[in-house]
Amino acid sequence: MPTAIAVTSADLVLPPTDSRTPPAAVLPGPDVRPLDAALVDVRQLLDQHGHLVVVCPDAAPPATVQRLYAVRALLESDRIAIVRTALPPLGAAVLVRQLRQLSACDFSPGVLASAARLLTHYVYAGAVLGSVAKLDHVPVGLGSHLKGWLPGAHFAVLAGPTPQLVRLPGGKGGSGHRAADGEQLAGPEFATDLVVARGQLQSDWPTATLGPRWRVRAVQEAPLPESSARWWGTGRLVEFTAYLPDLNVLHQLVTSVRRETCHWCRMELLGDRCGFCAAPLPPAEAAAPALAAPAARTAIGPGPGAAPR
């Protein structure tokens, strides 16, 4: 069975791209699901799939994050990876769908968990906003903050991979082809699809202007995630995310990265940090003795940095 992918809210689950894309489990917070029921849910997922990768946004409520770590500790399981992401809601949902696609491939649970950090660099997540006065997750200059209070002001904001903010020309969500100051959002240098979720702002800028400029191949509409207005600081928005849709490209991207073995929990990993126990990859000169030593750890493998943030 493929490694199970779970999320902390249902609005992080986008429709599958094809019939092979597995579904995602939803593990809500304590205000929705009592602890004993949550333990049963996770135990069943582990029994069915062997390992579980939970994608938890950095902006998730603290009680939800604490619940995840409590469940992992009470089950005394080293087969649960809690993957944090700073992506905005629609971008996080796209990342989750990519992990769901990859979970149907032949990747080990450790590779799948650590692949989330790799894929984040290829997710271009942003929004058109009617105001940036309450935007906290992307750096906003004083001038933009002041202009955010002006009637009719609109902004195009990119949260990642590199944060960027430009002011759009006036009129229906900034219908011009360039930003008001001539600056443009830096887009991907590879072919992508675009998913758009509309809030209370009337704007076709992501599809009419940004899509052609970024050479987007296809555009899909999705419901606006419930947490988007809180993340972006306003309900007057249109959220968008450009991403790699092709499973073959995603598979090639992940397989092209060198795999290591975690010196703490012995899971495979990509990059410099284990996706399961969060232990960093030791320096090259210390790697050999660390890998040769027996894995001394408890049943839940609380590696360095594994405590809840």
Side-chain angles (χ1 to χ4, degrees), residues 108-121:
S108 68
V111 168
L112 191 62
S114 56
R117 292 179 64 199
L118 169 67
L119 297 177
T120 297
H121 296 289

Side-chain angles (χ1 to χ4, degrees), residues 139-182:
V140 179
L142 177 60
S144 295
H145 258 304
L146 294 177
K147 292 172 183 176
W149 292 98
L150 297 176
H154 296 98
F155 299 85
V157 185
L158 195 62
T162 302
Q164 188 181 3
L165 183 149
V166 299
R167 186 167 64 90
L168 300 179
K172 268 198 130 169
S175 58
H177 289 274
R178 284 183 174 271
D181 54 5

Side-chain angles (χ1 to χ4, degrees), residues 263-276:
H263 71 285
W264 185 268
C265 70
R266 310 303 295 175
M267 282 284 191
E268 282 189 308
L269 63 93
L270 306 177
D272 59 359
R273 186 172 296 275
C274 178
F276 271 81

Side-chain angles (χ1 to χ4, degrees), residues 46-97:
L46 292 175
D47 289 343
Q48 295 172 4
H49 298 270
H51 291 81
L52 173 64
V53 174
V54 187
V55 178
C56 177
D58 287 349
T64 299
V65 180
Q66 293 167 3
R67 162 62 62 83
L68 293 176
Y69 285 97
V71 167
R72 187 172 71 173
L74 290 171
L75 291 178
E76 297 185 338
S77 176
D78 57 357
R79 296 181 291 149
I80 302 173
I82 301 175
V83 176
R84 307 301 302 273
T85 178
L87 287 170
L90 188 62
V94 166
L95 174 65
V96 168
R97 185 166 63 182

Side-chain angles (χ1 to χ4, degrees), residues 17-297:
T17 54
D18 54 54
S19 59
R20 292 186 55 202
T21 303
V26 179
L27 304 177
D31 57 330
V32 176
R33 195 77 166 155
L35 179 59
D36 55 349
L39 289 170
V40 172
D41 294 340
V42 174
R43 186 179 293 111
Q44 289 179 345
L45 287 171
L46 292 175
D47 289 343
Q48 295 172 4
H49 298 270
H51 291 81
L52 173 64
V53 174
V54 187
V55 178
C56 177
D58 287 349
T64 299
V65 180
Q66 293 167 3
R67 162 62 62 83
L68 293 176
Y69 285 97
V71 167
R72 187 172 71 173
L74 290 171
L75 291 178
E76 297 185 338
S77 176
D78 57 357
R79 296 181 291 149
I80 302 173
I82 301 175
V83 176
R84 307 301 302 273
T85 178
L87 287 170
L90 188 62
V94 166
L95 174 65
V96 168
R97 185 166 63 182
Q98 290 177 328
L99 292 176
R100 290 161 54 194
Q101 290 177 271
L102 291 170
S103 70
C105 302
D106 55 352
F107 294 119
S108 68
V111 168
L112 191 62
S114 56
R117 292 179 64 199
L118 169 67
L119 297 177
T120 297
H121 296 289
Y122 298 88
V123 175
Y124 284 70
V128 177
L129 305 179
S131 171
V132 294
K134 297 182 179 179
L135 178 60
D136 296 326
H137 296 283
V138 178
V140 179
L142 177 60
S144 295
H145 258 304
L146 294 177
K147 292 172 183 176
W149 292 98
L150 297 176
H154 296 98
F155 299 85
V157 185
L158 195 62
T162 302
Q164 188 181 3
L165 183 149
V166 299
R167 186 167 64 90
L168 300 179
K172 268 198 130 169
S175 58
H177 289 274
R178 284 183 174 271
D181 54 5
E183 188 180 1
Q184 299 183 13
L185 291 186
E189 298 180 355
F190 45 86
T192 62
D193 281 6
L194 188 73
V195 59
V196 177
R198 302 183 184 277
Q200 300 171 11
L201 184 68
Q202 298 297 318
S203 174
D204 61 355
W205 188 85
T207 53
T209 301
L210 189 67
R213 181 190 303 155
W214 282 6
R215 301 184 302 277
V216 167
R217 299 184 307 180
V219 178
Q220 301 92 36
E221 297 274 348
L224 185 72
E226 183 179 347
S227 54
S228 290
R230 183 173 66 254
W231 199 97
W232 292 103
T234 178
R236 297 180 58 243
L237 81 159
V238 178
E239 193 170 6
F240 58 84
T241 300
Y243 63 98
L244 293 167
D246 193 326
L247 177 57
N248 291 330
V249 175
L250 294 174
H251 189 279
Q252 183 178 3
L253 179 63
V254 174
T255 54
S256 67
V257 179
R258 178 179 174 180
R259 303 184 189 186
E260 305 284 355
T261 300
C262 177
H263 71 285
W264 185 268
C265 70
R266 310 303 295 175
M267 282 284 191
E268 282 189 308
L269 63 93
L270 306 177
D272 59 359
R273 186 172 296 275
C274 178
F276 271 81
C277 72
L281 195 66
E285 61 272 14
L291 293 177
R297 57 186 175 87

